Amino acid sequence: MAATLARRFDKARCLVVNIMSSPGAGKTTLLEQTSRRLSRRMRMAAIEGDLATDRDARRIRRAGIPCRQINTGGGCHLNARQVAEAVKAFDLASLDVLFIENVGNLVCPAAFDLGEHRRVVVSSTPEGDDKPVKYPVAFRHADCVVLNKIDLVGVTDFSLRAYRRFVRGIRPGVPILELSCRTGEGIDAWLDWLCAQREAVAAGAARSRR
Amino acid sequence: MAATLARRFDKARCLVVNIMSSPGAGKTTLLEQTSRRLSRRMRMAAIEGDLATDRDARRIRRAGIPCRQINTGGGCHLNARQVAEAVKAFDLASLDVLFIENVGNLVCPAAFDLGEHRRVVVSSTPEGDDKPVKYPVAFRHADCVVLNKIDLVGVTDFSLRAYRRFVRGIRPGVPILELSCRTGEGIDAWLDWLCAQREAVAAGAARSRR
């Protein structure tokens, strides 16, 4: 099912980004910020995975991104079957980027291929700098690591240096984008990364291997 | 297996507390603080569940609590079989409290009975005030909700009022203990709650029903 999805995404030349994190690290806020800054340049859509409620989907729609909600009813991750069903709501060929916001869980989602081109792991500073070594599975297959809430570094015990070292140890060479969705600091590097991936996929570039 | 464990815990009159949260909400720090303040009055031990590393177990031991590490190797929760194996390291009858620090995951651990007397869910303010409604399963069976990192309320968009309303909607009547493991604010109410549970179990009180 994931392989079928991957072929569809390739054919449509629509960049598909699977976003994973702990609960509350800032996935939805990152998409809100992305929409506000890129919606004139890119056609975006999103699939929102949650155990319950459509709170995030409503936030994303308010920010201007068409959105399809998947409620897993207790399920701890999204699977390819759910994504295949949700994706019917969109005309993929008319989109530049489709975001899949996974269930907030730093463990299980990493084990499930959704046919995506890129995997993004979002960390946040209040979670602590040791999360990459304690939850290595998610980081091992990340194409990009976003470190959110850097505006809170001064009021927590978070060490940027330790965090970078932990990430590099698990996934050498992965981009680490340090930003704050609240203050806007560092967001431009994220937008640049996203646009570069979009261009690569539009040009028919191969997907990264996992 | 969980029922067998429950009988053993009852027989030993040792309070067993299963602690769940998102990654980085502060489970380990809460146990460190608990040890520092209660170790003269209570005999404590801990079982630490993690995907990888023994970082938390080392922290707990440094704080003075004998500790057994379970590495799940990618597994997203602890199960009763793992706990039964780990518990062999302790003489239960000589303990007042055994803490089981579950894998950092607000979804899967809630589905697994470990024979515990009490379930504690730890939230933290930077995760956002809507986590109870977005991850209802964990909160639905909580005997106590700890809201950690209240020292960060002023620098986040967290609403204490909204959070309390969300928790009450899912688990009416559950104690909500607002505290900061970093500053020590509110810790006394947690220690009081813990001592009361300990007394109830030592007196042979029935466990709460789920």
Side-chain angles (χ1 to χ4, degrees):
Chain A
M1 184 71 81
T4 307
L5 274 176
R7 281 192 296 274
R8 284 189 59 193
F9 295 152
D10 282 347
K11 198 176 159 205
R13 306 242 163 155
C14 168
L15 169 65
V16 178
V17 181
N18 182 0
I19 308 182
M20 303 175 189
S21 82
S22 305
K27 298 182 293 304
T28 310
T29 318
L30 184 66
L31 293 189
E32 287 175 324
Q33 290 288 355
T34 305
S35 174
R36 288 194 181 115
R37 288 149 188 259
L38 274 192
S39 59
R40 281 184 209 143
R41 288 158 56 193
M42 278 204 197
R43 294 156 300 173
M44 296 178 273
I47 293 171
E48 286 291 317
D50 277 300
L51 271 68
T53 81
D54 64 344
R55 294 176 61 88
D56 287 354
R58 280 186 281 135
R59 284 174 57 189
I60 293 295
R61 284 186 201 118
R62 272 199 301 272
I65 302 186
C67 182
R68 194 81 182 177
Q69 176 79 54
I70 300 174
N71 273 144
T72 64
C76 56
H77 63 273
L78 291 180
N79 63 40
R81 191 173 301 271
Q82 292 164 323
V83 171
E85 187 59 37
V87 103
K88 288 179 185 167
F90 303 117
D91 172 21
L92 288 174
S94 75
L95 292 176
D96 294 309
V97 190
L98 173 66
F99 296 106
I100 303 173
E101 184 182 332
N102 223 308
V103 175
N105 179 340
L106 208 46
V107 187
C108 314
F112 292 84
D113 188 348
L114 305 180
E116 72 271 22
H117 293 101
R118 298 290 185 272
R119 281 192 184 189
V120 174
V121 173
V122 181
S123 283
S124 65
T125 57
E127 293 171 58
D129 48 39
D130 62 353
K131 292 304 157 289
V133 280
K134 291 189 59 197
Y135 301 83
V137 190
F139 289 85
R140 196 169 291 143
H141 301 294
D143 298 303
C144 175
V145 172
V146 169
L147 175 63
N148 188 22
K149 309 190 191 177
I150 49 163
D151 54 313
L152 299 183
V153 163
V155 290
T156 61
D157 304 318
F158 191 92
S159 159
L160 278 171
R161 205 167 150 186
Y163 179 81
R164 289 177 197 136
R165 195 181 68 235
F166 287 140
V167 172
R168 302 278 185 226
I170 288 162
R171 181 70 163 167
V174 72
I176 304 175
L177 308 179
E178 299 164 6
L179 53 82
S180 166
C181 289
R182 196 150 174 266
T183 67
E185 185 185 348
I187 292 277
D188 285 344
W190 157 251
L191 303 179
D192 290 347
W193 180 85
L194 199 62
C195 291
Q197 312 312 307
R198 157 66 191 150
E199 279 173 33
V201 166
R207 56 186 62 226
S208 44
R209 287 165 71 185
R210 264 181 281 278
Chain B
M1 184 72 81
T4 307
L5 274 175
R7 280 191 297 274
R8 283 190 59 194
F9 296 153
D10 283 349
K11 198 177 160 203
R13 306 241 164 155
C14 168
L15 167 66
V16 178
V17 181
N18 182 359
I19 307 182
M20 305 176 188
S21 82
S22 307
K27 297 182 293 303
T28 309
T29 317
L30 183 66
L31 293 190
E32 288 175 323
Q33 291 287 355
T34 304
S35 173
R36 288 194 182 115
R37 288 150 188 260
L38 275 192
S39 59
R40 279 183 212 146
R41 287 160 55 195
M42 277 205 196
R43 294 156 299 174
M44 296 178 272
I47 294 172
E48 286 290 316
D50 277 302
L51 272 67
T53 83
D54 65 344
R55 294 175 61 86
D56 288 353
R58 281 187 281 134
R59 285 174 56 191
I60 293 295
R61 283 185 202 120
R62 270 199 303 272
I65 303 186
C67 181
R68 194 82 182 177
Q69 176 79 55
I70 299 173
N71 273 144
T72 64
C76 55
H77 62 273
L78 291 180
N79 63 41
R81 191 172 300 270
Q82 292 164 322
V83 171
E85 188 58 36
V87 104
K88 289 179 186 168
F90 304 116
D91 172 20
L92 289 174
S94 75
L95 292 175
D96 293 309
V97 190
L98 173 66
F99 295 106
I100 303 174
E101 184 181 332
N102 223 306
V103 175
N105 180 341
L106 208 47
V107 187
C108 313
F112 293 84
D113 187 348
L114 306 179
E116 72 271 21
H117 294 101
R118 299 290 185 271
R119 282 193 183 187
V120 173
V121 173
V122 180
S123 284
S124 65
T125 56
E127 294 171 58
D129 49 39
D130 62 354
K131 292 304 157 289
V133 279
K134 291 190 60 199
Y135 301 84
V137 189
F139 289 85
R140 195 168 292 143
H141 301 293
D143 298 304
C144 175
V145 172
V146 169
L147 175 64
N148 189 21
K149 309 189 191 178
I150 49 162
D151 53 313
L152 299 182
V153 163
V155 291
T156 61
D157 304 319
F158 190 93
S159 159
L160 278 171
R161 204 167 150 184
Y163 179 80
R164 289 177 196 136
R165 195 181 67 234
F166 286 140
V167 172
R168 303 276 185 226
I170 289 162
R171 182 70 162 166
V174 71
I176 303 174
L177 307 179
E178 300 164 4
L179 53 83
S180 166
C181 289
R182 197 152 173 264
T183 68
E185 185 185 349
I187 292 277
D188 284 344
W190 157 251
L191 303 178
D192 289 346
W193 180 85
L194 199 62
C195 291
Q197 311 312 306
R198 158 66 190 151
E199 279 173 33
V201 166
R207 55 187 63 227
S208 43
R209 288 166 70 186
R210 265 181 279 280

